[in-house]
Amino acid sequence: MTTLAVKNFSFAYDTGQPNILNDISFSPVAGSFNLLIGPSGSGKSTLLKAMAGLMPKFGGIVTGGQILLDGQDIQPVAPFERAKRVAMLFQNPDRQFAMRTAPEQIAFALENIQLPAEQIQDRVADVMTRLNLTAFAEQDLMTLSGGEKQRVALATILAMDSDIILLDEPFANVDPQARQALLHDLQALQQTQGKTIVISDHDLSGYAELVDNLYVLEATTGTLQSASLTRLTNLAPVVPFTGHPNPAGDLGWRQLHVSVGERTLLTGTTFTVPRQQIGLISGANGIGKSTLFKALTKQIAATGTITWADQDARKIKAKAWAKRVALIFQTATDQFVTMTVAEELALSQRQTAYPDFWTAERVADAVAQLNLTGVMDHIVYQLSGGQQKKLQTLVMLIMGQSVLLLDEPLAGLDQDSVQVVMTLLQTTVQATQQAILMISHQRQGLADFIDYELVFAEQQLRLVGGATHA
């Protein structure tokens, strides 16, 4: 059985910078299920990457201690030998893909650990079936939804059959039903095959009956502490957000039909996005939520009529439309156009539609609330996933388009950060009369912020508490 031990490990991103991890000692018991929690930017991803042998080879410096794989320093171990014993699922699944389709990607990973050719196809077929991936087996990975990509990435990790599985926010873009199914799969691997699971997550739901050990990474000290499992119980139940949409709004659509290839995603729906309110679109992975947003921002064609103040959107030029309707992408790094946090904010301030609202003082206050003050000079691509999400949301809020379509803005955020981001969104729309419509599988803690919910199912959008819009 493979053993992995973190011994008095300290780590910094660069020479002269303070340690992000300080004197951490951690040895997961073989065959145990371990949950790692902590605020966004506390170093959870960094710790997991170091445990997988990826750090400091791909960034940063070890300032103390070491990580041992089967009693030996993990760094000199050949990558394919490490992967046979320790596999890691990244927070952003796109970074894990090198091939076009799911079967090709899984087979490629198995080839890299030098699995005999006669075993590869059996493993690919098995994991494709277990994780319900066969429906899009031939679909290009880059066309899948965020949740579908994450399932493919997880399938790749499970197929490798490593003794130790490290998972970094594996359910950030996964719908609740798929999340529970994947957690069940991980528990089965632990209990029937003796796999050691170490998983970082901000959403604590569903873990109470699974976890053997809970660890908290403290952001202020960079230290790791064991915590009581009672933190995983008594979570507030999540209920539908009924609400009452404001009838007034600028962006609307009538008898809208959205398709991808020969597959119809949405048919014959009519709705107006309410001004000065925050709405939630919920629905299963791959149902068409992100595709709808692409249609509303004129990135893909749709039939029916999209309107702005009752004017047909087809009569409004793309540049003018982009100044009215903004899409906040699911992957934060796709939105950045400069190098540092300060440069991103400065660019948005120069372009803002609300210069009297987004003063230097207000921007600085928002930066402080989001706990980004200490990273103003950092390269945006070196931030944690949660920090990138918070920066992305802020720069797009500052830009100030009248309608903001947010695709999974809360993925990778801890509960405190969720509250800060949602408060910032709510305060802004109340002051500017903007409209926000967001896709999110994260529902915990949103009760005080969501004005209405649209459920995307069976090719329809249904207003919770109201009628299907058709």
Side-chain angles (χ1 to χ4, degrees):
M1 181 64 68
T2 300
T3 62
L4 187 64
V6 182
K7 300 287 188 181
N8 304 110
F9 187 74
S10 298
F11 188 89
Y13 290 137
D14 205 350
T15 304
Q17 289 189 2
N19 288 340
I20 181 70
L21 303 174
N22 266 315
D23 196 30
I24 290 179
S25 293
F26 171 49
S27 300
V29 175
S32 62
F33 199 119
N34 307 271
L35 177 60
L36 175 64
I37 64 175
S40 302
S42 59
K44 300 184 300 298
S45 297
T46 302
L47 176 59
L48 291 177
K49 288 175 183 176
M51 292 171 65
L54 302 177
M55 296 292 201
K57 182 175 181 179
F58 295 104
I61 55 173
V62 176
T63 58
Q66 61 183 152
I67 295 177
L68 304 177
L69 179 62
D70 289 331
Q72 298 181 335
D73 191 327
I74 195 171
Q75 285 301 311
V77 180
F80 79 93
E81 287 290 353
R82 283 202 309 263
K84 284 181 179 179
R85 291 178 273 176
V86 183
M88 180 173 176
L89 175 64
F90 298 148
Q91 192 172 118
N92 183 351
D94 287 343
R95 295 181 180 177
Q96 214 137 351
F97 297 151
M99 307 300 287
R100 190 184 70 85
T101 68
E104 290 171 347
Q105 176 60 37
I106 298 167
F108 177 73
L110 298 178
E111 290 166 357
N112 275 296
I113 62 171
Q114 301 184 7
L115 190 73
E118 60 272 15
Q119 297 181 28
I120 290 178
Q121 290 309 312
D122 287 342
R123 284 217 197 161
V124 171
D126 174 66
V127 78
M128 289 285 293
T129 300
R130 282 169 50 203
L131 293 190
N132 299 315
L133 304 179
T134 53
F136 48 84
E138 298 307 314
Q139 192 171 337
D140 192 308
L141 288 172
M142 293 302 104
T143 67
L144 300 180
S145 72
E148 288 169 336
K149 289 178 181 178
Q150 198 70 308
R151 283 163 56 199
V152 173
L154 181 57
T156 305
I157 295 301
L158 299 185
M160 292 168 66
D161 198 31
S162 308
D163 285 338
I164 299 174
I165 302 174
L166 310 177
L167 305 106
D168 188 9
E169 294 286 347
F171 311 123
N173 297 315
V174 176
D175 66 74
Q177 292 75 22
R179 172 190 170 89
Q180 287 305 117
L182 293 173
L183 277 172
H184 180 268
D185 287 336
L186 290 173
Q187 183 186 38
L189 284 171
Q190 177 218 0
Q191 295 182 345
T192 64
Q193 299 183 34
K195 304 296 184 184
T196 304
I197 309 292
V198 182
I199 184 170
S200 74
D201 204 343
H202 289 301
D203 184 350
L204 305 187
S205 60
Y207 286 107
E209 305 300 322
L210 305 180
V211 171
D212 298 309
N213 304 292
L214 176 65
Y215 299 93
V216 180
L217 191 53
E218 302 289 348
T220 54
T221 62
T223 57
L224 189 70
Q225 307 293 334
S226 180
S228 171
L229 295 180
T230 57
R231 291 186 62 165
L232 303 179
T233 60
N234 302 319
L235 294 174
V238 175
V239 297
F241 307 112
T242 51
H244 302 284
N246 178 356
D250 297 305
L251 175 65
W253 55 88
R254 297 192 298 269
Q255 295 300 309
L256 187 66
H257 295 256
V258 180
S259 300
V260 173
E262 297 181 356
R263 180 187 173 200
T264 298
L265 301 175
L266 187 68
T267 179
T269 67
T270 298
F271 190 69
T272 298
V273 179
R275 189 182 301 126
Q276 212 171 4
Q277 288 189 334
I278 299 175
L280 175 73
I281 294 184
S282 59
N285 290 129
I287 201 73
K289 302 183 298 297
S290 298
T291 306
L292 169 62
F293 276 8
K294 290 179 181 179
L296 296 177
T297 49
K298 295 189 174 185
Q299 296 183 53
I300 65 170
T303 58
T305 306
I306 299 173
T307 60
W308 184 269
D310 291 327
Q311 180 183 7
D312 193 323
R314 287 170 290 194
K315 298 179 180 179
I316 302 175
K317 293 183 178 180
K319 184 175 181 180
W321 190 258
K323 291 183 177 180
R324 304 178 190 192
V325 183
L327 173 59
I328 288 74
F329 302 142
Q330 192 170 118
T331 302
T333 50
D334 290 345
Q335 205 104 44
F336 300 140
V337 295
T338 65
M339 290 301 291
T340 70
V341 174
E343 289 170 346
E344 282 290 330
L345 291 169
L347 179 61
S348 290
Q349 284 180 273
R350 290 196 297 271
Q351 303 291 332
T352 182
Y354 297 96
D356 293 337
F357 180 78
W358 287 109
T359 62
E361 292 76 17
R362 191 180 299 277
V363 171
D365 183 58
V367 167
Q369 291 177 45
L370 294 169
N371 199 25
L372 296 175
T373 306
V375 297
M376 290 293 286
D377 294 326
H378 287 207
I379 304 298
V380 293
Y381 305 102
Q382 294 177 337
L383 301 177
S384 74
Q387 289 170 327
Q388 289 174 342
K389 277 290 185 182
K390 290 188 286 187
L391 174 63
Q392 175 196 26
T393 300
L394 178 56
V395 297
M396 294 305 293
L397 266 183
I398 294 171
M399 288 291 291
Q401 285 92 336
S402 297
V403 176
L404 299 178
L405 306 177
L406 283 72
D407 195 350
E408 294 288 356
L410 308 177
L413 297 187
D414 61 271
Q415 278 299 313
D416 288 342
S417 293
V418 168
Q419 295 296 301
V420 171
V421 167
M422 292 305 301
T423 299
L424 182 61
L425 293 176
Q426 187 179 65
T427 301
T428 302
V429 300
Q430 290 300 315
T432 63
Q433 297 192 36
Q434 291 169 271
I436 288 180
L437 186 57
M438 58 184 276
I439 296 167
S440 181
H441 293 301
Q442 160 67 275
R443 301 175 64 90
Q444 205 75 37
L446 300 190
D448 294 333
F449 304 101
I450 299 300
D451 295 299
Y452 63 94
E453 179 176 359
L454 294 169
V455 177
F456 200 143
E458 298 178 344
Q459 302 176 0
Q460 294 287 308
L461 281 174
R462 179 177 59 82
L463 179 65
V464 175
T468 298
H469 289 262

